[in-house]
Structures are given as C-alpha cells and as structure tokens.
C-alpha cells in the first residue's frame, strides 16, 4: 500500500508538471522529439517517393491515351492542312480559268472544253500531249488547244476517250506536217500580219516571218492568231515579241516571240470549239 501510494503521488506530480503552462520543455522531452523527428524525416521521403510513383503509375494509362489522341489529332491536322492548301491552289486555278473563259467568251463565240493533261511525250520524234477528252466529248481533228495564258497546239489524233495534241514547239518550216500559224499584233490587227513558222528548242522562242517593212510590230507587242488559214481561230494569244530583225533577203522582217503558254507545267488545258470549224486547210510554207 505504501509503494502504491508513492507511485500515485509521483504520477499526480508528473501530470501536474506536464499539464502546467511551461515555457520550455525538459531535455528528455526535447531528446524524444528530436529523435522522433529525425526518424520521421528519413521515413517520410521514401514513403513520399513511393506514393508519388504509385500515383504516376495509376495515371500513366490516362497519359498514354491522351498522347495517342494528340498524335491522331496532329496527323489529322497535317492531312487536313495539305488538303486545304491543295484545294486552295485548285480553287485559285479554277478561278483564273473561269475568268479566262468568261473573258474569251466576251471576245468571241467560242466554247472552251476543259481537259486534264494525262501524259506528255518527250520523244523528239513524236512529241505529243495526251488529254482526257476524245470523240465521245465532241473532240475533232485540228481543234486548237490552249491554256489560260496562250496557244498550246492542235489536236492531231482523236480516240473515243483521249486525244493527242501536237504542241507549237514542234513548228518547223521545213516539215510537211507543220501547220503554220497566221498571226497579227493585238490592237493592230488591220495593220500587222505575219506567219509563225518555227520554234527554236535551244532558245525556247518562236519565229514569225513574212512581216512587211511597214508593219508597226515592235518589241513587247502581243501576238495573236489572225484567223486566216481556217485552222487557228482568230484572237488566240501566241506570245510576246522579243525583237525584230530584217529577213534573209532584206524585203521582209522577222520577229522573235516568247510563247505565252508554259509547256513545262501543263496540267489543265482548254479545247476550243468554234461555231463552224469549216475546212481544215492550212497555210503552206
């Protein structure tokens, strides 16, 4: 009983000492707190790392799905961007062609059939352009083919669904197959006349001959078809005059012409339908 009484008194005394308002802790309490804090520090870091790793692993599947969706969206954006740019370029081309056909219709009574270039032969002995219109579409021999820039050539072969075009780059005054082009200067139709009869592959220029010494043709003039000869209808742009010079015998002049059509980038062309094709005669050399 005496021992129990002593223990109870000590317990009450310790409780009163610890419960009271103290400014400082005892050194055993400080030691116990510092020791527990030290161990808590070393235990908390690994536990926090493991907890973060578990959290990241739990969200990894969601991140993977989001990355897949982002990759799909990026690929769709790239595809749509290319498609949009292609459609924008196509739209501009069609707008230019529409303006061209409307402008030409206001000048003459021709009908223009748009055709796609499907092949271009680079064979120097058979240089032709294939288009995807044929007899089923109303294409006939010797119809003129143009771009919205200028004259391309003549239809020389017609199949049911495709046709072959001889470009004006095949013009050769010494060839019996060449159909020479009666030409004049735009705006000076009643004063100017000449024959476009040759193409120089080295310079990429056309040659116009039989020009009168009184002809007002000069550098920078636009050369168009005159309509004489019953092959090339009038008003088709051929090119621009680079220079003029005296002919071989000094009686007539010749001119060097830069073709208006770009033969290196032919994708779409127009086949010209005139109200009355008439005879398919030509001007002989």
């Amino acid at each position: 009983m005496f021992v129990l009484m002593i223990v109870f008194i000590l317990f009450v005394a310790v409780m009163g000492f610890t419960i009271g308002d103290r400014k400082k802790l005892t050194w055993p309490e400080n030691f116990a707190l510092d020791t527990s804090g030290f161990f808590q520090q070393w235990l908390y870091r690994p536990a926090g790392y493991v907890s973060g790793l578990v959290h990241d692993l739990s969200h990894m599947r969601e991140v993977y799905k989001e990355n897949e969706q982002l990759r799909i969206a990026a690929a769709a954006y790239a595809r749509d961007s290319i498609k949009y740019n292609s459609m924008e370029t196509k739209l501009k081309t069609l707008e230019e062609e529409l303006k061209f056909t409307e402008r030409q219709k206001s000048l003459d009574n021709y009908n223009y059939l748009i055709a796609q270039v499907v092949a271009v032969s680079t064979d120097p002995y058979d240089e032709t352009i294939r288009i995807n219109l044929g007899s089923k579409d109303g294409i006939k021999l010797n119809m003129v083919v143009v771009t919205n820039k200028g004259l391309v050539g003549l239809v020389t072969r017609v199949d049911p669904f495709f046709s072959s075009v001889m470009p004006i780059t095949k013009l050769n005054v010494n060839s019996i197959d060449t159909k020479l082009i009666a030409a004049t200067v735009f705006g000076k139709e009643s004063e100017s006349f000449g024959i476009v009869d040759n193409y120089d592959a080295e310079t990429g220029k056309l040659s116009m001959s039989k020009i009168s010494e009184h002809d007002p043709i000069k550098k920078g003039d636009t050369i168009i078809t005159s309509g004489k000869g019953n092959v090339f209808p009038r008003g088709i742009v051929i090119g621009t005059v680079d220079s003029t010079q005296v002919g071989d015998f000094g009686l007539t002049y010749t001119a060097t012409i830069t073709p208006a059509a770009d033969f290196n980038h032919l994708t779409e062309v127009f086949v010209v339908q005139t109200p009355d094709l008439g005879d398919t005669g030509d001007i002989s050399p």
Side-chain angles (χ1 to χ4, degrees):
M1 290 295 292
F2 180 76
V3 173
L4 289 175
M5 186 179 294
I6 295 298
V7 171
F8 178 74
I9 293 171
L10 291 175
F11 177 73
V12 172
V14 171
M15 287 184 63
F17 181 74
T18 56
I19 293 174
D21 185 14
R22 295 177 298 155
K23 301 293 183 181
K24 296 173 64 177
L25 298 177
T26 61
W27 71 267
E29 289 174 324
N30 284 328
F31 177 78
L33 288 174
D34 291 341
T35 304
S36 62
F38 178 77
F39 283 106
Q40 286 176 345
Q41 176 184 356
W42 287 101
L43 290 174
Y44 176 77
R45 289 182 179 178
Y49 176 77
V50 172
S51 176
L53 180 62
V54 172
H55 181 269
D56 292 341
L57 290 174
S58 64
H59 287 77
M60 185 174 293
R61 186 174 182 82
E62 295 179 5
V63 172
Y64 178 77
K65 289 182 179 180
E66 291 177 358
N67 287 340
E68 282 293 319
Q69 293 175 353
L70 288 174
R71 282 195 289 267
I72 294 172
Y77 173 78
R79 183 190 65 243
D80 293 342
S81 178
I82 294 173
K83 185 177 180 180
Y84 172 79
N85 291 335
S86 176
M87 291 178 64
E88 186 177 29
T89 302
K90 181 69 172 178
L91 178 61
K92 289 181 180 179
T93 301
L94 291 176
E95 287 177 349
E96 292 178 358
E97 292 172 348
L98 178 61
K99 291 177 182 177
F100 166 75
T101 55
E102 292 300 322
R103 183 174 66 251
Q104 291 299 113
K105 285 179 180 179
S106 67
L107 296 175
D108 48 53
N109 192 25
Y110 304 155
N111 185 37
Y112 293 84
L113 302 176
I114 188 168
Q116 303 290 327
V117 175
V118 297
V120 176
S121 173
T122 57
D123 185 353
Y125 299 102
D126 185 26
E127 185 178 348
T128 56
I129 300 167
R130 291 285 285 175
I131 59 175
N132 65 343
L133 295 183
S135 59
K136 298 290 186 182
D137 306 291
I139 305 302
K140 298 179 181 180
L141 288 175
N142 291 331
M143 278 187 168
V144 172
V145 178
V146 301
T147 67
N148 58 351
K149 302 296 183 183
L151 179 62
V152 172
L154 281 175
V155 175
T156 55
R157 175 177 174 176
V158 180
D159 298 320
F161 300 101
F162 297 92
S163 299
S164 297
V165 179
M166 184 191 74
I168 58 175
T169 54
K170 287 289 290 180
L171 276 176
N172 187 340
V173 67
N174 298 318
S175 174
I176 60 174
D177 296 326
T178 296
K179 295 185 182 299
L180 307 184
I181 308 171
T184 185
V185 175
F186 178 71
K188 306 174 186 177
E189 290 86 344
S190 61
E191 306 172 70
S192 181
F193 177 80
I195 303 297
V196 178
D197 55 12
N198 200 40
Y199 175 80
D200 190 338
E202 293 184 0
T203 62
K205 308 290 184 181
L206 293 164
S207 177
M208 180 174 172
S209 63
K210 297 181 174 56
I211 303 171
S212 169
E213 59 179 339
H214 302 296
D215 198 300
I217 187 172
K218 67 180 185 301
K219 181 179 180 180
D221 282 344
T222 299
I223 302 300
I224 62 174
T225 55
S226 68
K228 298 178 180 179
N230 296 327
V231 177
F232 296 89
R234 64 178 179 82
I236 305 297
V237 175
I238 300 172
T240 305
V241 177
D242 277 350
S243 63
T244 58
Q245 50 276 333
V246 179
D248 293 337
F249 301 101
L251 299 177
T252 58
Y253 284 78
T254 62
T256 302
I257 302 169
T258 299
D262 185 0
F263 292 91
N264 294 322
H265 300 88
L266 289 176
T267 56
E268 292 177 337
V269 295
F270 297 94
V271 181
V272 181
Q273 284 185 318
T274 58
D276 183 10
L277 291 176
D279 296 331
T280 57
D282 61 281
I283 300 175
S284 300

